[in-house]
Amino acid sequence: IANFTPTVENDPSLRDAPDRKLFPPFHLVVNIDTFSKPPATLTAADIEEELSVSHLVTKGRILWSSTVLGIKRATLSLELNASTSDEQLLAETKPDEWRKVVTLAAMKLVGGRRDWSVDSLSRVACLSVLSARAQVSIAPTSDSASVSVGSHLATCVNISENRDAVFSMYPSEPAVAAGAFEVVWDDEKWRNNYVQLLSHLRTSMLEGIVDAGQCGELVARLLLNLAWDLSVQCLDKFYSMITLEGFLNILIGPDRLAEAKTVLVDQSILNAQLCFTHFIPISYVPNEQDLAKLMSRGAAAICQRNQVGVDLMIPLLLADGVISVFLISVKNHRSQFDKNWPSSAGSRVSLRTVCPELSNVRRYFTLLM
């Protein structure tokens, strides 16, 4: 954002003194989801429409929409007329234009490099690739926090009063999540790429660059992202809907899935569809429309701190169009001092305790990790 700061003589926050302590003010201008205009109430058909490339490109920072607009105005300059709106052009976004946006996001995510071979990426670039989808918590006092904001698409959400800590995160941006997938996924080298990324993550944890707290939840998010990647295996299907059964077949394997089927009250839940490519933290208890909005941008939720019974939520779309949820509780161990473990752990993982507004939904799925 430029040209919003007043001249020095008209700026009330500046002091005409050599020991000036105040910075020029921040101007809060909304530039996220500027062109995205989903319906007030999302239906099943609306969710599928929102996951098309013409809608995905409008979500997140305005850079992705302006990139498509620039491509279209450059290639269709003779065919456009003065009445052609930006919304009309974005509604006609083609898959190859979306791919160019994803390529741009991947380049910016790794620091502006055209060659994003994981073997040659810096540690901050590797952490940024993981953070864009799994929300790795980079220590605010480390240099990596400011570098991730300045060169790797992270968003600064706060600066400490003494200016020695930069708090950053990655908001929900479908193009950035797809860019992170593009950096990592290779039909032949994806295992090596993940090993390289996780090696940098481990080193960063040991050195205090990454917050090692709640480590089990981070591992769960990384495993879920990997399972999604193995389920789709290409950019063209990255925002496709797949069945819960197909996803679980990758996540827990055919044998464990067969065991799960024996205890399911209603096996039709396995036909539910899901689409999640990245996680974002939420600070509220979601209702049906909140879950629909998350699903419409391919996002899953990291539950608010001290949420009872569950850590992660993945929206589900049932065959009858009802919005449900995949509840995940992260335990990170096989046994407990409680003799009733693991039954006792799952006793509070229910919609009644987690999402009271969804308590009328009879079909949902829970998993302990």
Side-chain angles (χ1 to χ4, degrees), residues 15-22:
R15 301 292 182 268
D16 188 15
D19 58 345
R20 183 182 300 153
K21 294 183 178 180
L22 294 179

Side-chain angles (χ1 to χ4, degrees), residues 51-365:
L51 289 172
S52 64
V53 295
S54 60
H55 289 271
L56 290 173
V57 76
T58 65
K59 303 180 190 297
R61 66 195 76 193
I62 200 171
L63 171 63
W64 318 126
S65 300
S66 62
T67 299
V68 172
L69 292 174
I71 294 172
K72 285 189 173 295
R73 294 194 182 281
T75 56
L76 303 175
S77 57
L78 297 178
E79 302 175 23
L80 297 178
N81 55 58
S83 63
T84 305
S85 66
D86 291 341
E87 287 78 7
Q88 288 174 308
L89 292 175
L90 291 171
E92 299 173 358
T93 302
K94 299 176 181 177
D96 62 319
E97 294 166 341
W98 166 249
R99 182 172 287 276
K100 290 179 181 179
V101 169
V102 172
T103 299
L104 175 63
M107 289 170 54
K108 287 185 170 292
L109 193 59
V110 298
R113 299 179 50 167
R114 292 183 179 273
D115 173 24
W116 54 64
S117 173
V118 175
D119 293 335
S120 61
L121 295 183
S122 67
R123 180 188 300 179
V124 181
C126 290
L127 293 179
S128 299
V129 170
L130 294 174
S131 299
R133 298 180 61 194
Q135 297 294 338
V136 176
S137 179
I138 299 178
T141 54
S142 68
D143 290 339
S144 299
S146 58
V147 172
S148 65
V149 173
S151 302
H152 300 281
L153 289 180
T155 297
C156 175
V157 294
N158 191 26
I159 298 177
S160 63
E161 188 173 348
N162 57 5
R163 307 186 191 109
D164 63 355
V166 175
F167 298 85
S168 62
M169 67 165 294
Y170 282 84
S172 174
E173 294 190 90
V176 177
F181 170 80
E182 192 78 340
V183 171
V184 177
W185 188 260
D186 183 284
D187 290 341
E188 298 179 356
K189 296 175 58 180
W190 66 267
R191 289 183 179 84
N192 177 68
N193 289 343
Y194 268 102
V195 168
Q196 293 291 332
L197 293 175
L198 295 178
S199 175
H200 282 293
L201 176 61
R202 177 180 180 275
T203 302
S204 299
M205 284 183 171
L206 293 175
E207 295 181 2
I209 296 174
V210 168
D211 182 10
Q214 308 298 323
C215 184
E217 294 181 19
L218 174 57
V219 171
R221 296 196 295 270
L222 292 171
L223 288 173
L224 290 163
N225 280 335
L226 176 57
W228 181 259
D229 293 352
L230 290 171
S231 299
V232 296
Q233 297 194 13
C234 68
L235 181 61
D236 293 338
K237 297 180 180 179
F238 193 56
Y239 281 97
S240 299
M241 303 276 271
I242 65 173
T243 64
L244 177 60
E245 182 173 11
F247 178 72
L248 291 174
N249 192 58
I250 298 294
L251 179 64
I252 63 178
D255 295 338
R256 287 293 181 89
L257 179 57
E259 292 178 17
K261 287 181 178 180
T262 62
V263 297
L264 282 178
V265 176
D266 185 351
Q267 295 203 14
S268 65
I269 188 66
L270 295 176
N271 296 322
Q273 293 183 306
L274 71 160
C275 176
F276 78 99
T277 63
H278 59 287
F279 288 89
I280 57 172
I282 59 174
S283 57
Y284 53 87
V285 177
N287 56 31
E288 183 177 354
Q289 278 302 302
D290 292 329
L291 292 171
K293 290 175 182 177
L294 287 170
M295 193 175 198
S296 70
R297 59 196 306 127
I302 303 171
C303 296
Q304 61 183 343
R305 193 174 295 273
N306 298 324
Q307 172 70 56
V308 176
V310 69
D311 300 298
L312 306 171
M313 297 183 188
I314 301 175
L316 295 177
L317 180 62
L318 303 182
D320 55 5
V322 174
I323 301 295
S324 184
V325 66
F326 180 3
L327 302 175
I328 300 171
S329 180
V330 182
K331 298 303 178 184
N332 203 30
H333 42 69
R334 291 178 177 272
S335 61
Q336 263 283 15
F337 295 110
D338 182 358
K339 63 181 180 180
N340 294 321
W341 170 265
S343 299
S344 58
S347 60
R348 295 194 297 176
V349 185
S350 68
L351 283 186
R352 182 175 299 177
T353 57
V354 176
C355 301
E357 294 188 34
L358 292 177
S359 57
N360 60 329
V361 176
R362 300 302 179 189
R363 290 172 293 168
Y364 61 95
F365 195 87

